[in-house]
Amino acid sequence: MKLDEKLINTVKGFLDRQEGKALYEIALEASRRGPCLEIGSYCGKSTIYLGSACRKNNSVLFSIDHHRGSEEQQPGEEYFDPELYDRKTRRVDTFKEFRNTIEKAGLEDTVVPMVCRSELAARLWSTSLSLVFIDGGHSYAAAYTDYNAWAGHIMPNGYLLIHDIFKDLEKGGQAPYHVYKLAVASGLFKEVSMINTLGVLRRMPSGAIPETLPQK
Ligand code: MG
């Protein structure tokens, strides 16, 4: 099955088409070797790209989001969307939208939604991942937590993808970029490419891991 561009255009999200296509292509290669995982699924736009690739290889995409919106998506903040606000519970709720997207995209047998914070999902995690996509909260604390919780689960030659990399301070928040630099400085990952604001890193093969790792 090809990517459903029509559906993708109806899904709310902050991922552009080129970035999405890159997610798809990389996941197509990676998911042959193991499951993929994303943090920050929101309404499911990136989930369609990653999940469609996983489906082709009969693999699985774990998709983590507490679905309460990140800091910048709360009422009164810059990225608040009233359509995603549940008046009854007085909370942002993106899970309904997400579920709807997964169903329409035919990904219910591929995507495992994990409705919780990423560090809870990671607490007893022990499965090696072929790809981790970090697109969760954009505060330093949230971005570091996501990186620290998941980077160690990426298999040798697996991918670490980070969204919203702005090398120019004027263009956007710096937390994802700092995490990107931290990953490179660790010696565990090498830079592969940058597609708009999508940073692509690849885990070194096991033999290349330096004996002494820099402190986190
Ligand atoms: Mg993003």
Side-chain angles (χ1 to χ4, degrees):
M1 202 192 287
K2 280 179 86 180
L3 276 172
D4 188 343
E5 302 264 2
K6 239 186 181 176
L7 172 65
I8 289 169
N9 289 336
T10 68
V11 179
K12 289 176 191 282
F14 308 95
L15 191 78
D16 75 30
R17 195 165 171 270
Q18 266 186 312
E19 293 169 336
K21 288 257 183 191
L23 284 185
Y24 177 78
E25 294 298 334
I26 296 164
L28 204 52
E29 189 221 304
S31 62
R32 283 190 220 119
R33 290 179 282 135
C36 299
L37 181 140
E38 70 169 339
I39 303 147
S41 31
Y42 195 54
C43 298
K45 200 187 259 286
S46 55
T47 317
I48 300 183
Y49 288 107
L50 294 169
S52 300
C54 288
R55 182 177 54 199
K56 268 202 161 179
N57 290 322
N58 205 19
S59 186
V60 161
L61 171 65
F62 297 101
S63 188
I64 304 172
D65 199 312
H66 47 65
H67 288 288
R68 294 301 192 192
S70 51
E71 304 89 338
E72 65 274 17
Q73 292 161 353
Q74 300 306 313
E77 300 298 324
E78 194 183 352
Y79 290 96
F80 175 63
D81 182 342
E83 285 178 11
L84 298 172
Y85 186 71
D86 184 335
R87 285 169 200 283
K88 259 193 207 160
T89 58
R90 297 186 178 181
R91 303 285 294 274
V92 171
D93 182 2
T94 54
F95 187 54
K96 260 183 249 161
E97 282 288 316
F98 174 77
R99 240 187 148 168
N100 196 16
T101 301
I102 297 312
E103 188 180 1
K104 282 188 188 159
L107 290 171
E108 287 178 302
D109 292 324
T110 302
V111 176
V112 181
M114 298 168 80
V115 186
C116 62
R117 306 191 72 82
S118 97
E119 70 265 37
L120 172 60
R123 201 179 292 167
L124 291 177
W125 190 270
S126 61
T127 299
S128 287
L129 300 163
S130 64
L131 178 157
V132 168
F133 175 47
I134 298 182
D135 191 21
H138 288 49
S139 65
Y140 282 89
Y144 281 127
T145 299
D146 291 340
Y147 172 75
N148 286 333
W150 293 102
H153 293 293
I154 300 171
M155 58 178 61
N157 292 316
Y159 291 92
L160 172 61
L161 311 178
I162 305 175
H163 195 225
D164 301 309
I165 304 287
F166 296 104
K167 293 188 176 176
D168 181 353
L169 182 65
E170 304 281 298
K171 296 200 170 138
Q174 295 292 292
Y177 184 38
H178 273 264
V179 167
Y180 178 90
K181 287 190 284 191
L182 191 75
V184 174
S186 76
L188 287 170
F189 296 94
K190 62 173 184 237
E191 296 178 271
V192 175
S193 57
M194 184 73 66
I195 300 99
N196 298 331
T197 71
L198 177 70
V200 180
L201 299 171
R202 192 157 198 191
R203 176 85 145 77
M204 298 290 194
S206 52
I209 299 172
E211 277 177 34
T212 317
L213 296 176
Q215 293 294 306
K216 273 175 190 162

